[in-house]
Amino acid sequence: MAEQTLRAWLLTDTPTSRRHAKLSALYQGWLAFRANTMAMIGLGILLALVLIAAAAPLLAPHDPYVQDLGNRLAPLGSEGHILGTDSLGRDILSRLIYGARITLYIVALVAMIAPIVGLLVGTVSGYVGGWVDIVLMRITDIFLAFPRLVLALAFVAALGAGIENAVIAISLTAWPPYARIARAETLTIRSSDYISAIKLQGAGGLRIITKHIWPLCVSSLIVRVTLDMAGIILAAAGLGFLGLGAQPPSPEWGAMISEGRRFILDHWWVATMPGLAIFTVSLAFNLLGDGLRDVLDPKAGE
Amino acid sequence: MMDTLLDVENLWVRFPTRQGVFDAVRGVSFTLGRERLGIVGESGSGKSMTGRAILRLIRSPGIVEADHIKLDGVDLLQKSEKEMREVRGERISMVMQDPKFSLNPVMTIGDQIIEAYRLHNKASKSEAWGKALEMLEAVSIRNPERVMRAYPHEMSGGMGQRIMIAMMLIPNPEILIADEPTSALDVSVQRQVLDIMDKLVKERGMGLIFISHDLNLVADFCDRVLIMYAGRIVEVCDADKLHDAQHPYTRGLLNSLPRLDAPRARLDVLSRDPEWSEAPSVSGRI
Amino acid sequence: MSMLEIEGLNVWFGRDRDRVDAVKQASFNVGAGESFGLVGESGSGKSTILRAITGLAPTWSGRIAVGGMAIGRSRPKQFYKKVQMVFQDPYASLHPRHSVDAVLGETLHLHGFNDIDARVVKLLDDVGLGQKFRFRYPHQLSGGQRQRVAIARALAPEPELLLLDEPTSALDVSVQAEILNLLADLRQEHGLTYLMVSHDLSVVGHMCDRLAVMKDGEIVEIMDVAALRAMQATHPYSQHLLQASV
């Protein structure tokens, strides 16, 4: 009964306060999202990943750094090592669990840097126009003209190998597409009547960009970032694989594949297990992105 | 008695939504002879849905149900999608509100008309060209050669709508469905387009379904009018007697219009009676 | 006293070869408390005049004066307290992610009011919406309700001159009647001056005291509504327009 009334309260057409209206809008978005089974699966996997990363010391059966050269390259299902051990006898499962922390760290940092830079550049460029637009967009073009991984390699080479530098390099190569999207959206929003209307209230450019244009750009950027996450994880893994990202003995998934590569014909699981982990998380982000697009995309909403 | 071209019995259009099934059209019945039949109503009354449902152009997940939709005695609902494609354009044509969205922007108007013509008739290019010129002349376009070479964006709204009408009439359909064909046009152009449509319909003995929100226009232009409200027909009357309509909804709509010849300080506001949407649909059959 | 004076107004878009002259040498006056109509077909430049007054069309020449004060290139904040506008399409003039409360609240905040809560309540009552609409989003409102919100937003700074750009052309006739009645009531209550653009002569005939007929960017005739009702237009184009709309 109480649940029924809560639901009715959330689904009302006549909210009674600001908070009520916000919660109601959120709940209706959640209902739309929940109806998408695949997106829910993606969300589930990612939540599991967060939990695993948070509880890594409790979940991992072994210390990910402890070597046991007597028990190296143990196969799947061997005693005490469900996913086997790597070339130095470290438990692969434990390394994967701890590796989730690194993956999340990379994802979170990139997701905080690239879209925000892109949003700033894109909306300012689109709204102000004129020579500001020309300068900002040509800079964007320059970044877009380089192959992404090559540019990241160049940055890492200049900044030095390491996970933070890898994140910076990936972010620097990832923002231009967001700037393009944000600019395109800004151009259509800028000429709409509701922007004209707020101009007639004497609102300045800063207020219009932050309060009126950003809320409309953010949703499509969130969708785009989620869909790009797979690529970002892969780029991070690629840098790790080339030895330019996380440094050994850190259990980064890409670096683990790189180590396992040497034994791939005789001991396939050493490279395959982290590969599967990357695959699963990338897929989860893609599924989530698809679902979010259905909920957030204002064009599909009407 | 007038012969019946189209016979629609108990037509429903349904859309399943999260809140349950939404009925856009609820049990509408009417017939169409060689006449100009107007369907009027406000937005959301189901008038456009009715027009589209006849051609089975309701997009999924929408559902069209009816006892029958008979064209010359043959039920359109029994036809396969492939057979329906032959009916659309060939026997029943449709003119939409905005010509801008109905013409291909990267083809010249001449090429589009010729393509449409050759789709329906076996003809050589030069024959089709001649025919296309003839069609454009029929819709009172002054220098058709120039128009044939032009692209749609070079045309004004009224011109575009005339071209659309010309194209729709090429296969010589028995029925023309016009969904707000003049709403996007200026008043002075509106009249011209209507006159052209009227002339063509009369000359060819076609049936016309004219869907509009404009009561005065329909009263002027049509023979018979169906007034729709909330998915149902609430009143059927002869167009010239529309101003003496009985139903309170029709009366309310008429009274809410400002009039130049009868100034009033305040306009009458329509107060909607929930009973109107409950009452069974009036039949528009003859 | 004139609320709005327009003299020799030219508005153009683009430049050099691409220049389009949307308004040419338009001149008219609107007295305080008067309701003035601008009539013409699409592309006649009637809406452009409104956009030039509000500064949304920046390239213009000539003289525009509101309340006796000539307007320059940039408009001070004070200007927007005097002049407000209602747009044609209520589906496009409200921010899709802002609730009614946010729209009105922000407008009041921008104009420096302090008692925002009380004023939002009052504005909603003024336009006949009432409290239960306060926290709704635009997608939860019908076309007529949206237009009422847009009118409330225009009324928020307590303007003297309201520019109405085809305020009912996107609405059904029964809703149009409600909005026109509301506008007439508001004009009386607040002593507003209206400048109304419309393609519909009967709407202008109902709402306005005088009107100007425009064609291809020029004002061809200014007449009062009595002459309109008596079908006494002098210019052939206005006669043609009148005949077409009866």
Side-chain angles (χ1 to χ4, degrees):
Chain A
M1 191 62 207
E3 200 174 300
Q4 268 302 312
T5 45
L6 179 66
R7 197 183 141 82
W9 186 76
L10 283 168
L11 283 176
T12 177
D13 259 348
T14 53
T16 49
S17 70
R18 252 158 247 174
R19 202 168 55 94
H20 187 178
K22 281 234 169 66
L23 284 175
S24 171
L26 273 179
Y27 183 66
Q28 289 185 9
W30 166 243
L31 282 186
F33 183 80
R34 209 176 57 177
N36 188 333
T37 321
M38 296 311 278
M40 286 303 285
I41 292 175
L43 184 67
I45 293 174
L46 293 176
L47 281 179
L49 183 73
V50 172
L51 286 178
I52 288 171
L58 300 175
L59 291 175
H62 298 273
D63 186 319
Y65 299 110
V66 169
Q67 305 178 2
D68 177 6
L69 292 176
N71 192 19
R72 62 196 289 269
L73 299 171
L76 295 182
S78 44
E79 205 184 338
H81 304 285
I82 300 170
L83 296 183
T85 59
D86 68 3
S87 60
L88 296 174
R90 295 172 295 197
D91 181 45
I92 292 180
L93 176 63
S94 310
R95 285 178 70 74
L96 284 182
I97 290 173
Y98 275 91
R101 290 183 159 188
I102 299 174
T103 302
L104 278 180
Y105 178 67
I106 294 171
V107 162
L109 275 181
V110 173
M112 278 200 291
I113 301 171
I116 292 176
V117 173
L119 184 67
L120 267 173
V121 172
T123 47
V124 168
S125 176
Y127 185 76
V128 177
W131 63 267
V132 176
D133 184 28
I134 293 171
V135 170
L136 288 177
M137 278 301 116
R138 288 306 81 78
I139 293 173
T140 313
D141 287 343
I142 292 170
F143 274 91
L144 274 173
F146 282 101
R148 193 160 164 183
L149 200 60
V150 173
L151 191 60
L153 280 177
F155 275 118
V156 174
L159 297 167
I163 196 142
E164 282 82 11
N165 289 343
V167 166
I168 293 172
I170 294 170
S171 304
L172 280 173
T173 57
W175 68 268
Y178 302 128
R180 279 281 181 84
I181 297 172
R183 176 174 176 271
E185 294 235 346
T186 307
L187 287 180
T188 49
I189 296 167
R190 177 176 81 159
S191 55
S192 65
D193 278 354
Y194 50 84
I195 298 298
S196 299
I198 196 70
K199 273 189 197 159
L200 294 194
Q201 312 303 340
L206 185 66
R207 170 178 285 268
I208 291 176
I209 290 178
T210 55
K211 294 217 164 159
H212 294 256
I213 294 179
W214 278 5
L216 290 173
C217 289
V218 162
S219 48
S220 57
L221 280 189
I222 289 177
V223 172
R224 187 59 204 264
V225 169
T226 329
L227 290 173
D228 281 356
M229 267 315 156
I232 287 164
I233 293 172
L234 290 178
L239 287 177
F241 182 82
L242 294 172
L244 294 168
Q247 295 302 304
S250 139
E252 201 269 331
W253 295 347
M256 285 169 71
I257 298 180
S258 175
E259 283 169 30
R261 178 184 48 135
R262 285 179 288 150
F263 318 104
I264 196 148
L265 293 178
D266 302 323
H267 311 283
W268 53 270
W269 60 90
V270 182
T272 310
M273 286 307 129
L276 276 179
I278 294 172
F279 163 76
T280 313
V281 175
S282 304
L283 181 71
F285 269 112
N286 269 336
L287 293 177
L288 179 71
D290 263 347
L292 282 177
R293 177 164 50 203
D294 293 344
V295 179
L296 290 177
D297 195 343
K299 279 161 223 117
E302 285 286 305
Chain B
M1 195 59 210
M2 200 165 44
D3 48 331
T4 305
L5 292 172
L6 187 74
D7 182 343
V8 178
E9 177 74 45
N10 196 19
L11 173 71
W12 289 74
V13 179
R14 294 192 166 101
F15 289 91
T17 67
R18 202 179 300 146
Q19 279 85 32
V21 177
F22 170 71
D23 297 320
V25 179
R26 306 185 295 160
V28 163
S29 307
F30 63 90
T31 54
L32 174 76
R34 298 189 192 284
E35 60 177 335
R36 294 163 300 183
L37 177 70
I39 304 183
V40 274
E42 296 183 286
S43 51
S45 61
K47 56 187 192 305
S48 290
M49 286 295 165
T50 307
R52 299 178 140 265
I54 292 168
L55 283 172
R56 293 200 2 223
L57 283 173
I58 303 288
R59 235 174 286 156
S60 147
I63 306 160
V64 180
E65 283 169 14
D67 292 356
H68 60 247
I69 301 176
K70 280 187 182 157
L71 176 67
D72 280 341
V74 182
D75 194 349
L76 295 181
L77 288 175
Q78 305 300 328
K79 286 189 185 278
S80 68
E81 188 52 33
K82 201 171 151 218
E83 290 169 317
M84 240 357 249
R85 239 174 280 154
E86 278 161 30
V87 172
R88 289 181 204 134
E90 195 90 32
R91 305 186 61 193
I92 307 179
S93 276
M94 191 153 182
V95 178
M96 303 284 189
Q97 178 167 356
D98 200 332
K100 262 182 240 137
F101 300 117
S102 317
L103 290 169
N104 183 344
V106 294
M107 267 171 91
T108 63
I109 286 160
D111 287 346
Q112 293 186 51
I113 301 182
I114 288 171
E115 190 188 284
Y117 183 75
R118 293 182 63 187
L119 212 66
H120 295 289
N121 301 285
K122 283 200 184 78
S124 70
K125 266 228 154 118
S126 56
E127 249 180 283
W129 175 271
K131 199 78 192 161
L133 279 181
E134 223 174 90
M135 292 309 306
L136 289 178
E137 272 162 13
V139 291
S140 311
I141 286 176
R142 248 166 270 147
N143 45 2
E145 272 105 355
R146 197 183 61 78
V147 172
M148 292 277 282
R149 279 192 302 274
Y151 286 90
H153 68 91
E154 299 170 59
M155 296 289 110
S156 67
M159 203 70 125
Q161 202 57 297
R162 281 183 224 189
I163 293 163
M164 277 315 294
I165 292 171
M167 283 180 69
M168 290 302 133
L169 294 176
I170 284 174
N172 225 341
E174 293 148 64
I175 295 171
L176 182 65
I177 301 176
D179 188 357
E180 306 262 12
T182 59
S183 308
L185 308 179
D186 286 321
V187 269
S188 54
V189 189
Q190 228 173 47
R191 183 46 63 188
Q192 295 167 12
V193 171
L194 287 180
D195 287 345
I196 291 164
M197 236 159 68
D198 188 37
K199 196 181 99 201
L200 292 170
V201 168
K202 274 207 184 108
E203 276 172 8
R204 294 162 185 239
M206 288 162 49
L208 172 70
I209 297 180
F210 188 86
I211 300 167
S212 175
H213 68 279
D214 191 331
L215 286 144
N216 286 328
L217 193 70
V218 171
D220 246 21
F221 181 68
C222 294
D223 301 314
R224 210 154 56 93
V225 184
L226 313 177
I227 294 115
M228 285 190 71
Y229 179 77
R232 297 196 164 157
I233 300 176
V234 293
E235 187 166 12
V236 180
C237 63
D238 289 337
D240 46 0
K241 297 195 186 78
L242 183 64
H243 287 277
D244 309 318
Q246 294 306 312
H247 196 278
Y249 174 67
T250 322
R251 291 238 53 85
L253 281 187
L254 287 167
N255 289 337
S256 62
L257 283 169
R259 283 169 62 179
L260 277 179
D261 49 346
R264 281 170 294 173
R266 292 184 68 81
L267 296 167
D268 291 348
V269 171
L270 186 66
S271 50
R272 287 156 207 275
D273 190 337
E275 237 170 66
W276 299 346
S277 49
E278 296 305 319
S281 190
V282 178
S283 171
R285 312 176 71 89
I286 294 190
Chain C
M1 194 198 105
S2 291
M3 176 53 74
L4 176 71
E5 293 161 59
I6 289 186
E7 246 179 73
L9 178 69
N10 292 300
V11 188
W12 63 92
F13 300 108
R15 54 180 158 184
D16 302 331
R17 260 180 10 144
D18 295 329
R19 175 168 158 151
V20 178
D21 290 285
V23 179
K24 292 171 253 177
Q25 288 296 324
S27 301
F28 61 91
N29 278 339
V30 183
E34 194 185 11
S35 175
F36 191 89
L38 280 174
V39 180
E41 306 203 316
S42 51
S44 63
K46 53 195 194 308
S47 294
T48 309
I49 290 186
L50 297 194
R51 298 184 81 84
I53 297 171
T54 53
L56 293 173
T59 46
W60 56 275
S61 67
R63 186 181 127 88
I64 302 175
V66 173
M69 294 245 293
I71 301 173
R73 286 299 104 177
S74 65
R75 286 156 183 73
K77 235 179 171 167
Q78 228 32 47
F79 172 80
Y80 294 116
K81 265 186 117 68
K82 264 194 203 158
V83 181
Q84 279 294 321
M85 178 155 160
V86 176
F87 292 85
Q88 170 173 11
D89 184 357
Y91 290 89
S93 71
L94 296 178
H95 194 287
R97 292 282 159 86
H98 287 184
S99 66
V100 174
D101 178 67
V103 169
L104 299 179
E106 183 177 23
T107 305
L108 289 164
H109 169 78
L110 280 166
H111 288 283
F113 291 108
N114 290 322
D115 48 344
I116 288 176
D117 264 346
R119 276 178 186 269
V120 170
V121 171
K122 168 107 183 13
L123 281 171
L124 285 175
D125 284 337
D126 278 356
V127 294
L129 276 178
Q131 291 318 296
K132 62 177 202 235
F133 291 94
R134 181 168 171 190
F135 298 103
R136 288 203 197 181
Y137 287 90
H139 66 89
Q140 294 168 315
L141 302 173
S142 70
Q145 289 163 349
R146 287 180 196 217
Q147 198 61 304
R148 282 172 195 263
V149 174
I151 292 171
R153 171 177 59 196
L155 288 178
E158 301 179 336
E160 295 161 40
L161 174 63
L162 208 54
L163 310 175
L164 305 165
D165 187 1
E166 307 242 21
T168 58
S169 68
L171 305 173
D172 280 321
V173 285
S174 62
V175 183
Q176 163 171 294
E178 292 170 20
I179 297 291
L180 292 181
N181 281 343
L182 171 70
L183 286 170
D185 292 345
L186 289 171
R187 182 172 156 225
Q188 211 163 34
E189 276 168 42
H190 300 264
L192 295 167
T193 307
Y194 284 169
L195 175 56
M196 181 175 195
V197 160
S198 181
H199 67 278
D200 189 334
L201 276 177
S202 55
V203 168
V204 167
H206 175 74
M207 288 294 290
C208 300
D209 310 318
R210 286 192 306 141
L211 66 144
V213 180
M214 289 192 72
K215 182 179 194 288
D216 300 333
E218 287 172 68
I219 293 181
V220 297
E221 185 170 3
I222 295 180
M223 56 180 158
D224 58 24
V225 163
L228 179 78
R229 290 226 174 87
M231 310 280 283
Q232 282 165 342
T234 47
H235 193 277
Y237 178 72
S238 349
Q239 285 168 353
H240 168 72
L241 212 57
L242 250 174
Q243 260 144 27
S245 40
V246 171

